[in-house]
């Protein structure tokens, strides 16, 4: 993994506003995340590959490493 890649992101629940810093996986995209406060199950927004790209302060590692736009998402070839 590239040294410039940020591996932590603050994920914010769009329902209750709760925020938590989480370590992002580097081997796969995280499609679901349960808010610890209100228990809402978060899913990626249309066009995003994972919950970190939709609700996080930093996009996921594959997107950070991508030299192209989010077109197709980071999991489109898997």
């Amino acid at each position: 993994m590239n040294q410039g890649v940020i591996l932590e992101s603050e994920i914010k629940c769009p329902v209750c506003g709760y925020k938590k810093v989480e370590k992002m996986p580097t081997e796969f995209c995280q499609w679901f995340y349960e808010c610890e406060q209100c228990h809402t199950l978060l899913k990626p927004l249309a066009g995003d590959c994972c919950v970190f790209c939709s609700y996080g302060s930093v996009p996921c590692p594959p997107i950070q490493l991508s030299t192209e736009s989010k077109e197709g998402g980071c999991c489109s070839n898997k």
Side-chain angles (χ1 to χ4, degrees), residues 25-39:
T26 57
E27 301 296 321
F28 59 89
C29 289
Q30 187 166 337
W31 294 320
F32 302 102
Y33 180 83
E34 183 178 354
C35 174
E36 284 187 16
Q37 183 166 296
C38 71
H39 302 288

Side-chain angles (χ1 to χ4, degrees), residues 8-73:
E8 289 188 340
S9 181
E10 182 179 67
I11 196 161
K12 180 181 178 184
C13 178
V15 175
C16 71
Y18 181 76
K19 297 177 186 177
K20 183 173 182 189
V21 174
E22 294 282 2
K23 184 173 180 182
M24 294 184 281
T26 57
E27 301 296 321
F28 59 89
C29 289
Q30 187 166 337
W31 294 320
F32 302 102
Y33 180 83
E34 183 178 354
C35 174
E36 284 187 16
Q37 183 166 296
C38 71
H39 302 288
T40 297
L41 185 62
L42 305 181
K43 300 173 190 170
L45 299 173
D48 285 342
C49 63
C50 68
V51 293
F52 291 104
C53 288
S54 294
Y55 307 104
S57 59
V58 177
C60 70
I63 293 296
Q64 290 179 55
L65 290 171
S66 175
T67 57
E68 299 176 10
S69 69
K70 287 186 181 180
E71 204 170 270

